[in-house]
Short mmCIF file of all heavy atoms in Angstrom, two decimals:
data_model
loop_
_atom_site.label_atom_id
_atom_site.label_comp_id
_atom_site.label_asym_id
_atom_site.label_seq_id
_atom_site.Cartn_x
_atom_site.Cartn_y
_atom_site.Cartn_z
N TYR Z 1 -6.09 2.06 -6.99
CA TYR Z 1 -7.42 1.41 -6.95
C TYR Z 1 -8.09 1.44 -8.33
O TYR Z 1 -9.12 0.81 -8.57
CB TYR Z 1 -8.26 2.04 -5.89
CG TYR Z 1 -7.80 1.64 -4.48
CD1 TYR Z 1 -7.07 2.54 -3.71
CD2 TYR Z 1 -8.05 0.37 -3.96
CE1 TYR Z 1 -6.63 2.19 -2.42
CE2 TYR Z 1 -7.65 0.00 -2.70
CZ TYR Z 1 -6.92 0.93 -1.91
OH TYR Z 1 -6.49 0.56 -0.69
N GLU Z 2 -7.57 2.23 -9.27
CA GLU Z 2 -8.18 2.33 -10.61
C GLU Z 2 -7.56 1.31 -11.58
O GLU Z 2 -7.92 1.25 -12.72
CB GLU Z 2 -7.96 3.77 -11.13
CG GLU Z 2 -8.62 4.81 -10.29
CD GLU Z 2 -8.32 6.23 -10.74
OE1 GLU Z 2 -7.58 6.34 -11.74
OE2 GLU Z 2 -8.80 7.15 -10.12
N LEU Z 3 -6.55 0.54 -11.09
CA LEU Z 3 -5.87 -0.42 -12.00
C LEU Z 3 -6.77 -1.55 -12.32
O LEU Z 3 -7.76 -1.85 -11.60
CB LEU Z 3 -4.57 -0.94 -11.27
CG LEU Z 3 -3.54 0.11 -10.98
CD1 LEU Z 3 -2.41 -0.56 -10.15
CD2 LEU Z 3 -3.01 0.79 -12.22
N ASP Z 4 -6.47 -2.21 -13.43
CA ASP Z 4 -7.32 -3.30 -13.93
C ASP Z 4 -6.98 -4.62 -13.18
O ASP Z 4 -6.10 -5.31 -13.56
CB ASP Z 4 -7.05 -3.51 -15.46
CG ASP Z 4 -7.24 -2.24 -16.24
OD1 ASP Z 4 -8.16 -1.48 -15.92
OD2 ASP Z 4 -6.42 -1.98 -17.14
N ASP Z 5 -7.74 -4.91 -12.12
CA ASP Z 5 -7.51 -6.13 -11.37
C ASP Z 5 -7.71 -7.34 -12.14
O ASP Z 5 -7.08 -8.41 -11.90
CB ASP Z 5 -8.46 -6.28 -10.16
CG ASP Z 5 -8.25 -5.24 -9.17
OD1 ASP Z 5 -7.49 -4.29 -9.35
OD2 ASP Z 5 -8.89 -5.41 -8.12
N ASP Z 6 -8.62 -7.34 -13.13
CA ASP Z 6 -8.96 -8.57 -13.85
C ASP Z 6 -7.85 -8.89 -14.80
O ASP Z 6 -7.85 -10.02 -15.37
CB ASP Z 6 -10.29 -8.38 -14.63
CG ASP Z 6 -10.26 -7.17 -15.51
OD1 ASP Z 6 -9.53 -6.22 -15.20
OD2 ASP Z 6 -11.00 -7.16 -16.51
N ILE Z 7 -6.96 -7.99 -15.08
CA ILE Z 7 -5.84 -8.24 -16.00
C ILE Z 7 -4.57 -8.61 -15.23
O ILE Z 7 -3.98 -9.64 -15.55
CB ILE Z 7 -5.56 -6.99 -16.86
CG1 ILE Z 7 -6.82 -6.64 -17.68
CG2 ILE Z 7 -4.38 -7.20 -17.79
CD1 ILE Z 7 -6.70 -5.37 -18.52
N VAL Z 8 -4.17 -7.81 -14.29
CA VAL Z 8 -3.00 -8.01 -13.48
C VAL Z 8 -3.39 -7.79 -11.98
O VAL Z 8 -4.14 -6.89 -11.66
CB VAL Z 8 -1.83 -7.07 -13.88
CG1 VAL Z 8 -0.61 -7.38 -13.05
CG2 VAL Z 8 -1.50 -7.26 -15.39
N ILE Z 9 -2.84 -8.66 -11.13
CA ILE Z 9 -3.24 -8.62 -9.74
C ILE Z 9 -2.74 -7.40 -9.02
O ILE Z 9 -1.60 -6.98 -9.20
CB ILE Z 9 -2.66 -9.91 -9.02
CG1 ILE Z 9 -3.28 -11.18 -9.68
CG2 ILE Z 9 -3.01 -9.89 -7.56
CD1 ILE Z 9 -2.62 -12.45 -9.18
N ASN Z 10 -3.62 -6.76 -8.22
CA ASN Z 10 -3.22 -5.62 -7.46
C ASN Z 10 -2.63 -6.10 -6.10
O ASN Z 10 -2.67 -7.27 -5.74
CB ASN Z 10 -4.46 -4.74 -7.15
CG ASN Z 10 -4.08 -3.24 -7.16
OD1 ASN Z 10 -3.01 -2.91 -6.73
ND2 ASN Z 10 -4.97 -2.42 -7.61
N ARG Z 11 -2.12 -5.14 -5.32
CA ARG Z 11 -1.30 -5.43 -4.08
C ARG Z 11 -2.14 -4.84 -2.94
O ARG Z 11 -1.70 -3.83 -2.34
CB ARG Z 11 0.06 -4.85 -4.18
CG ARG Z 11 0.90 -5.37 -5.34
CD ARG Z 11 2.21 -4.61 -5.41
NE ARG Z 11 3.07 -5.00 -6.50
CZ ARG Z 11 4.07 -5.88 -6.42
NH1 ARG Z 11 4.32 -6.47 -5.23
NH2 ARG Z 11 4.80 -6.18 -7.46
N TYR Z 12 -3.24 -5.42 -2.57
CA TYR Z 12 -4.14 -4.76 -1.57
C TYR Z 12 -3.53 -4.76 -0.16
O TYR Z 12 -3.76 -3.82 0.63
CB TYR Z 12 -5.50 -5.49 -1.57
CG TYR Z 12 -6.29 -5.16 -2.82
CD1 TYR Z 12 -6.48 -6.07 -3.83
CD2 TYR Z 12 -6.79 -3.84 -2.97
CE1 TYR Z 12 -7.18 -5.72 -4.95
CE2 TYR Z 12 -7.51 -3.52 -4.16
CZ TYR Z 12 -7.68 -4.49 -5.15
OH TYR Z 12 -8.39 -4.11 -6.27
N ASP Z 13 -2.78 -5.77 0.19
CA ASP Z 13 -2.09 -5.72 1.52
C ASP Z 13 -1.17 -4.53 1.67
O ASP Z 13 -1.11 -3.88 2.67
CB ASP Z 13 -1.31 -7.01 1.78
CG ASP Z 13 -2.26 -8.22 1.99
OD1 ASP Z 13 -3.42 -7.98 2.23
OD2 ASP Z 13 -1.76 -9.37 1.97
N MET Z 14 -0.46 -4.26 0.54
CA MET Z 14 0.46 -3.16 0.51
C MET Z 14 -0.33 -1.85 0.63
O MET Z 14 0.12 -0.95 1.36
CB MET Z 14 1.31 -3.17 -0.77
CG MET Z 14 2.25 -2.03 -0.90
SD MET Z 14 2.90 -1.87 -2.63
CE MET Z 14 1.47 -1.16 -3.47
N LEU Z 15 -1.38 -1.71 -0.12
CA LEU Z 15 -2.15 -0.49 -0.15
C LEU Z 15 -2.78 -0.20 1.23
O LEU Z 15 -2.75 0.96 1.74
CB LEU Z 15 -3.29 -0.58 -1.18
CG LEU Z 15 -2.84 -0.78 -2.65
CD1 LEU Z 15 -4.04 -0.80 -3.56
CD2 LEU Z 15 -1.89 0.38 -3.09
N GLU Z 16 -3.20 -1.24 1.93
CA GLU Z 16 -3.74 -1.04 3.28
C GLU Z 16 -2.70 -0.58 4.27
O GLU Z 16 -2.89 0.31 5.08
CB GLU Z 16 -4.38 -2.34 3.76
CG GLU Z 16 -5.71 -2.68 3.05
CD GLU Z 16 -6.23 -4.03 3.49
OE1 GLU Z 16 -5.67 -4.62 4.43
OE2 GLU Z 16 -7.20 -4.50 2.89
N SER Z 17 -1.46 -1.18 4.10
CA SER Z 17 -0.33 -0.73 4.97
C SER Z 17 0.03 0.66 4.69
O SER Z 17 0.33 1.43 5.63
CB SER Z 17 0.82 -1.71 4.76
OG SER Z 17 0.47 -3.02 5.15
N MET Z 18 0.06 1.06 3.40
CA MET Z 18 0.42 2.45 3.09
C MET Z 18 -0.59 3.43 3.69
O MET Z 18 -0.26 4.47 4.23
CB MET Z 18 0.46 2.62 1.59
CG MET Z 18 1.64 2.00 0.88
SD MET Z 18 1.64 2.29 -0.89
CE MET Z 18 3.26 1.66 -1.34
N HIS Z 19 -1.88 3.04 3.62
CA HIS Z 19 -2.91 3.90 4.20
C HIS Z 19 -2.69 4.05 5.70
O HIS Z 19 -2.82 5.19 6.21
CB HIS Z 19 -4.27 3.33 3.86
CG HIS Z 19 -5.42 4.09 4.37
ND1 HIS Z 19 -5.88 5.23 3.79
CD2 HIS Z 19 -6.21 3.95 5.48
CE1 HIS Z 19 -6.92 5.76 4.43
NE2 HIS Z 19 -7.08 5.01 5.49
N ARG Z 20 -2.41 3.02 6.42
CA ARG Z 20 -2.23 3.06 7.85
C ARG Z 20 -1.05 3.94 8.18
O ARG Z 20 -0.98 4.73 9.12
CB ARG Z 20 -2.04 1.64 8.44
CG ARG Z 20 -3.30 0.84 8.51
CD ARG Z 20 -3.10 -0.35 9.45
NE ARG Z 20 -1.99 -1.20 9.04
CZ ARG Z 20 -2.11 -2.23 8.22
NH1 ARG Z 20 -3.27 -2.47 7.66
NH2 ARG Z 20 -1.04 -2.94 7.86
N MET Z 21 0.08 3.79 7.40
CA MET Z 21 1.25 4.56 7.69
C MET Z 21 1.09 6.05 7.45
O MET Z 21 1.59 6.88 8.28
CB MET Z 21 2.44 4.05 6.89
CG MET Z 21 2.84 2.59 7.23
SD MET Z 21 4.56 2.30 6.90
CE MET Z 21 5.37 3.22 8.14
N LEU Z 22 0.30 6.41 6.45
CA LEU Z 22 0.05 7.81 6.20
C LEU Z 22 -0.85 8.34 7.35
O LEU Z 22 -0.69 9.48 7.82
CB LEU Z 22 -0.65 8.01 4.86
CG LEU Z 22 0.25 7.91 3.62
CD1 LEU Z 22 -0.53 8.10 2.39
CD2 LEU Z 22 1.35 9.00 3.72
N TYR Z 23 -1.84 7.55 7.78
CA TYR Z 23 -2.74 8.00 8.80
C TYR Z 23 -1.98 8.20 10.12
O TYR Z 23 -2.19 9.15 10.88
CB TYR Z 23 -3.87 6.95 8.99
CG TYR Z 23 -4.88 7.33 10.06
CD1 TYR Z 23 -5.90 8.22 9.76
CD2 TYR Z 23 -4.80 6.83 11.31
CE1 TYR Z 23 -6.79 8.60 10.73
CE2 TYR Z 23 -5.70 7.13 12.28
CZ TYR Z 23 -6.70 8.03 11.99
OH TYR Z 23 -7.64 8.41 12.97
N ASP Z 24 -1.10 7.25 10.44
CA ASP Z 24 -0.33 7.30 11.69
C ASP Z 24 0.95 8.19 11.62
O ASP Z 24 1.52 8.45 12.64
CB ASP Z 24 0.09 5.83 12.15
CG ASP Z 24 -1.07 5.00 12.37
OD1 ASP Z 24 -2.11 5.47 12.66
OD2 ASP Z 24 -0.91 3.74 12.28
N GLN Z 25 1.31 8.55 10.36
CA GLN Z 25 2.57 9.26 10.16
C GLN Z 25 3.76 8.48 10.72
O GLN Z 25 4.63 9.06 11.34
CB GLN Z 25 2.49 10.68 10.74
CG GLN Z 25 1.60 11.61 9.94
CD GLN Z 25 2.14 11.90 8.52
OE1 GLN Z 25 3.20 12.46 8.34
NE2 GLN Z 25 1.39 11.46 7.52
N SER Z 26 3.72 7.20 10.54
CA SER Z 26 4.76 6.30 11.06
C SER Z 26 5.86 6.10 10.07
O SER Z 26 5.73 6.41 8.88
CB SER Z 26 4.13 4.98 11.54
OG SER Z 26 3.37 4.39 10.49
N ASP Z 27 6.99 5.55 10.55
CA ASP Z 27 8.15 5.37 9.72
C ASP Z 27 8.42 3.85 9.47
O ASP Z 27 7.92 3.01 10.17
CB ASP Z 27 9.35 5.98 10.40
CG ASP Z 27 9.22 7.44 10.67
OD1 ASP Z 27 8.42 8.08 9.92
OD2 ASP Z 27 9.81 8.00 11.62
N ILE Z 28 9.25 3.60 8.48
CA ILE Z 28 9.67 2.27 8.15
C ILE Z 28 11.17 2.28 8.31
O ILE Z 28 11.88 3.19 7.86
CB ILE Z 28 9.32 1.86 6.70
CG1 ILE Z 28 7.81 1.97 6.48
CG2 ILE Z 28 9.84 0.45 6.37
CD1 ILE Z 28 7.40 1.68 5.07
N PRO Z 29 11.79 1.21 8.91
CA PRO Z 29 13.24 1.10 8.99
C PRO Z 29 13.90 1.17 7.63
O PRO Z 29 13.40 0.58 6.64
CB PRO Z 29 13.49 -0.23 9.66
CG PRO Z 29 12.25 -0.51 10.38
CD PRO Z 29 11.10 0.08 9.62
N THR Z 30 14.95 1.95 7.52
CA THR Z 30 15.67 2.14 6.25
C THR Z 30 16.95 1.31 6.24
O THR Z 30 17.70 1.32 7.19
CB THR Z 30 16.05 3.62 6.04
OG1 THR Z 30 14.83 4.38 5.99
CG2 THR Z 30 16.81 3.79 4.71
N HIS Z 31 17.14 0.53 5.15
CA HIS Z 31 18.30 -0.31 5.09
C HIS Z 31 19.05 -0.02 3.79
O HIS Z 31 18.57 -0.19 2.67
CB HIS Z 31 17.88 -1.82 5.05
CG HIS Z 31 17.10 -2.23 6.20
ND1 HIS Z 31 17.59 -2.37 7.48
CD2 HIS Z 31 15.72 -2.53 6.33
CE1 HIS Z 31 16.64 -2.73 8.32
NE2 HIS Z 31 15.53 -2.82 7.65
N ILE Z 32 20.23 0.59 3.95
CA ILE Z 32 21.04 1.07 2.78
C ILE Z 32 22.05 -0.02 2.45
O ILE Z 32 22.78 -0.49 3.29
CB ILE Z 32 21.75 2.37 3.12
CG1 ILE Z 32 20.72 3.42 3.49
CG2 ILE Z 32 22.61 2.80 1.91
CD1 ILE Z 32 19.72 3.79 2.37
#
């Protein structure tokens, strides 16, 4: 959230999803 948005675009959808996953302690399918 401290990155320079006006220079390069941030990834807010990703950040919101990361926040939810940490809060829920949920997992993501792993594909090797």
Side-chain angles (χ1 to χ4, degrees):
Y1 289 103
E2 300 174 0
L3 299 175
D4 307 319
D5 292 9
D6 55 334
I7 300 177
V8 181
I9 298 171
N10 216 327
R11 301 173 181 263
Y12 288 107
D13 290 345
M14 179 194 75
L15 299 179
E16 290 176 7
S17 297
M18 286 181 172
H19 181 78
R20 286 197 303 271
M21 295 207 71
L22 284 178
Y23 181 81
D24 297 337
Q25 288 295 295
S26 51
D27 301 333
I28 301 174
T30 299
H31 303 290
I32 302 299

